Amino acid sequence: MTERTPVNEPADNGMIFSVEEYRARLQRTQKEMSKHDLPVLLLHQPENILYLSGFHTTGYFSYHALAVPSRGDPVLILRDVEVPAAHATSWVKDHVTYADAADPLPVWLDTARRALDGLGLAGGHVGVDEHSWFLTVERWKMLQALLPNATLVREPRIVDHLRLIKSPREIDYLRGAARQVEVGMRAGIGAIAPGVKERELAAAVFGALVNAGSEMPLSGTITSGNRTNLIHGQWSDRRLERGDPVYFELSGIHHHYWARLMRSAVAGPPSAEQQRVAETIIRVQDEAIALMKPGTPASVIDRACREPILASGLRETYTNRTGYSLALNHRPSAGEFIREFVPGVEWVLEAGMVFHMLIMAAGMGFSETVLVTEQGPERLTGIERKLFFQA
């Protein structure tokens, strides 16, 4: 079935951008589609669906997609119970829906077929986002079987690339997310004391994040003692001991835009070695962030983070990334996965890009969410850059 909603009348004014901004994004997408001779895209990645249509749900365990023709308006492919969410959040007026079924896979993908058929684009090339977590192998195979006259081709991550340069409104949302994560971080640090459980730190953090306006999901890394070597460790019932390092990696989420922040602290006065580790990481990262200007090669920034840490002896090897692009995000993604600071990269920084810059070593970690402006780097996260401790 197909349902239409008046384009400028979301049910509860729940759109987070203007219709004009969404249409501008669509026009840029369609311009790129024409360059690549793609008559239609069938998008599955939630961030890209949201970026073009505004539609948001946490229900991506079921099939959802957006059909984007090279001319005209897109079509949302939805589970029928998600139509109210589409009314509330999206400017897109055309929906093709399905009901739950005993054998859902063919029902889901036939809905995509019907959407493409309704656009007159069920034959020829159909660009699909092969990188999406949500276009599984079985979905891809079923889609190909249901579209015998079409050829599914890998689209060159058109929307992902467009998302790299943030609009003024997107930057406003990232600023809001940064303020939220700072509130959560201060609450977690303020709860540190010998005898406190990691779980109690988490309760302080997430209560503060919710009260500051942050959205789901509530997740983060909170570890202490010898558990700080767990790069994505969850909080536990471990109780802090005097002198323990405590490590936080937290996110604030404002209108689905994420800002991320790492800080380390000590349950009691820090040792000279703990202070040395923190000061080294902070100094190296400060110097690297200062280089984040438009036109700077990403490889320069990565070396400025990686090589001094290795030279300092804080790490014997450094195999993980030192930063990545971040903004609009949907689990299980942890970032945009298209601009990473790793050895050998060849891309350059541009104004309007936003990155989570991180350095971890010897059980400690510090990070910032950084906006690249025409004038240079701007830290969106503003909490003090120091090793926090309980006197």
Side-chain angles (χ1 to χ4, degrees):
M1 56 188 140
T2 301
E3 181 168 330
R4 290 181 174 268
T5 306
V7 67
N8 290 316
E9 299 178 13
D12 64 353
N13 296 315
M15 290 191 298
I16 59 175
F17 295 97
S18 68
V19 174
E20 291 74 21
E21 182 156 347
Y22 285 121
R23 284 201 172 277
R25 295 172 179 179
L26 175 63
Q27 290 169 3
R28 291 195 297 272
T29 300
Q30 291 172 327
K31 182 178 180 180
E32 292 300 312
M33 290 169 66
S34 296
K35 290 180 183 178
H36 294 279
D37 195 25
L38 287 170
V40 65
L41 297 179
L42 187 63
L43 301 177
H44 300 83
Q45 193 63 15
E47 293 93 330
N48 292 341
I49 294 173
L50 194 158
Y51 185 80
L52 290 181
S53 74
F55 174 70
H56 174 73
T57 180
T58 59
Y60 276 93
F61 55 85
S62 197
Y63 184 81
H64 294 89
L66 185 71
V68 184
S70 59
R71 295 183 180 82
D73 288 349
V75 177
L76 275 166
I77 299 157
L78 302 169
R79 189 180 180 206
D80 57 3
V81 294
E82 297 285 6
V83 168
H87 286 174
T89 62
S90 177
W91 69 277
V92 174
K93 59 186 178 180
D94 285 348
H95 310 149
V96 182
T97 66
Y98 63 87
D100 291 349
D103 186 8
L105 187 66
V107 173
W108 292 345
L109 278 305
D110 189 63
T111 310
R113 180 200 60 76
R114 289 190 286 120
L116 293 172
D117 199 47
L119 290 168
L121 296 170
H125 285 181
V126 175
V128 293
D129 45 357
E130 291 183 354
H131 67 284
S132 175
W133 310 101
F134 298 89
L135 181 59
T136 62
V137 173
E138 67 172 2
R139 290 180 178 185
W140 192 96
K141 288 181 176 178
M142 179 62 70
L143 187 62
Q144 184 68 86
L146 292 170
L147 294 169
N149 298 318
T151 301
L152 303 185
V153 298
R154 177 185 177 276
E155 62 90 12
R157 301 191 68 174
I158 289 171
V159 180
D160 298 76
H161 282 94
L162 293 176
R163 284 169 42 210
L164 285 171
I165 307 300
K166 278 60 181 178
S167 71
R169 178 63 63 87
E170 288 180 292
I171 293 169
D172 285 345
Y173 290 164
L174 286 159
R175 293 187 194 282
R179 299 292 79 76
Q180 292 164 359
V181 74
E182 290 168 14
V183 170
M185 186 66 74
R186 291 189 187 281
I189 291 169
I192 291 172
V196 171
K197 293 181 180 180
E198 291 175 355
R199 189 174 306 279
E200 293 173 294
L201 300 182
V205 164
F206 296 126
L209 281 170
V210 170
N211 286 332
S214 193
E215 302 161 3
M216 291 176 62
L218 297 176
S219 64
T221 299
I222 302 174
T223 56
S224 65
N226 59 10
R227 297 186 70 249
T228 57
N229 66 348
L230 304 177
I231 188 171
H232 295 130
Q234 289 281 350
W235 52 92
S236 73
D237 287 321
R238 184 185 185 277
R239 293 186 183 276
L240 304 187
E241 298 177 9
R242 190 167 182 81
D244 272 347
V246 184
Y247 169 79
F248 298 90
E249 181 179 5
L250 307 176
S251 299
I253 309 171
H254 185 52
H255 291 310
H256 317 301
Y257 282 75
W258 295 47
R260 196 162 283 142
L261 181 65
M262 292 179 182
R263 285 294 183 272
S264 289
V266 178
S271 68
E273 178 61 12
Q274 287 172 326
Q275 195 69 53
R276 182 186 79 85
V277 170
E279 289 175 357
T280 300
I281 293 173
I282 291 168
R283 173 182 55 78
V284 170
Q285 193 171 59
D286 282 346
E287 291 172 357
I289 289 174
L291 300 173
M292 295 180 67
K293 301 173 182 178
T296 304
S299 58
V300 170
I301 308 300
D302 182 67
R303 285 196 300 272
C305 293
R306 192 177 304 273
E307 293 180 357
I309 293 296
L310 289 169
S312 73
L314 294 186
R315 294 181 63 154
E316 292 183 2
T317 62
Y318 204 145
T319 58
N320 59 294
R321 58 191 180 174
T322 58
Y324 54 90
S325 57
L326 177 71
L328 180 60
N329 197 47
H330 196 290
R331 286 300 194 192
S333 297
E336 291 178 331
F337 287 102
I338 197 166
R339 288 292 182 266
E340 309 269 302
F341 290 89
V342 292
V345 292
E346 297 182 352
W347 55 275
V348 300
L349 278 68
E350 299 177 54
M353 290 180 168
V354 174
F355 299 98
H356 181 221
M357 303 302 298
L358 59 147
I359 295 180
M360 296 164 289
M364 292 190 181
F366 294 85
S367 78
E368 304 293 343
T369 299
V370 179
L371 167 68
V372 180
T373 76
E374 293 290 356
Q375 291 72 42
E378 177 189 342
R379 282 176 49 208
L380 297 182
T381 40
I383 195 170
E384 300 96 311
R385 289 179 57 73
K386 68 179 185 179
L387 178 63
F388 290 84
F389 62 90
Q390 179 197 45

